[in-house]
Amino acid sequence: MHGTRAEGRPPAPAQGCGWYLLAPVVAAFGVYGGTVWTVRSWAGCPLGNDAGGTVGLQMTMSAVWLCTTLVLLLFQLALRRWPPRGGRAVLWLAPVAAGVGLALLYRWGMGWPYQPPGGPCTEGYPLFPFTGTTGPHSAG
């Protein structure tokens, strides 16, 4: 008899559609939190969020939400295929922990402004994580 599961491994607990709806919800909270953190970090820069480029940040939110949701859905599928030990609680908490990690990665990718001593910040936030900034990198 050929089986797809390893011998002695219990089958994955049955999950309903609500479990897969967790990915877009966690992604939405993570992206919103990362964006709010970005806005607050860059608020003191003239080319930050006050420069009329908020549309770019809103479009970034949509793209990052979509990417985060897809990554979390793939993670959930992997959890269903290879269930971790710990039961149902781990199956619900693991995607939330992954969402928090992705939100921190998103915020890290948006960078922090450089505030030169005695001068104003002349940078702008990146239009997409890890892509650089919209303004010059030094006030000179």
Side-chain angles (χ1 to χ4, degrees):
M1 176 189 243
H2 297 300
T4 58
R5 298 218 179 260
E7 292 296 323
R9 180 177 242 189
Q15 301 294 333
C17 291
W19 189 60
Y20 289 108
L21 291 176
L22 182 66
V25 171
V26 168
F29 278 109
V31 170
Y32 178 76
T35 303
V36 167
W37 192 3
T38 299
V39 168
R40 289 185 179 177
S41 295
W42 287 94
C45 289
L47 294 177
N49 301 317
D50 301 330
T54 334
V55 172
L57 192 58
Q58 291 168 356
M59 296 305 286
T60 297
M61 280 179 67
S62 303
V64 171
W65 174 81
L66 182 63
C67 294
T68 304
T69 300
L70 291 175
V71 168
L72 288 175
L73 283 171
L74 289 173
F75 182 63
Q76 285 181 305
L77 287 172
L79 285 175
R80 187 167 185 146
R81 176 79 172 107
W82 299 287
R85 295 178 188 198
R88 229 179 160 101
V90 173
L91 285 177
W92 281 90
L93 291 176
V96 172
V100 169
L102 289 170
L104 291 173
L105 183 65
Y106 164 54
R107 176 58 196 106
W108 182 55
M110 293 302 280
W112 281 266
Y114 171 70
Q115 299 280 351
C121 174
T122 58
E123 293 182 306
Y125 57 84
L127 292 177
F128 200 76
F130 302 105
T131 59
T133 57
T134 58
H137 290 276
S138 65

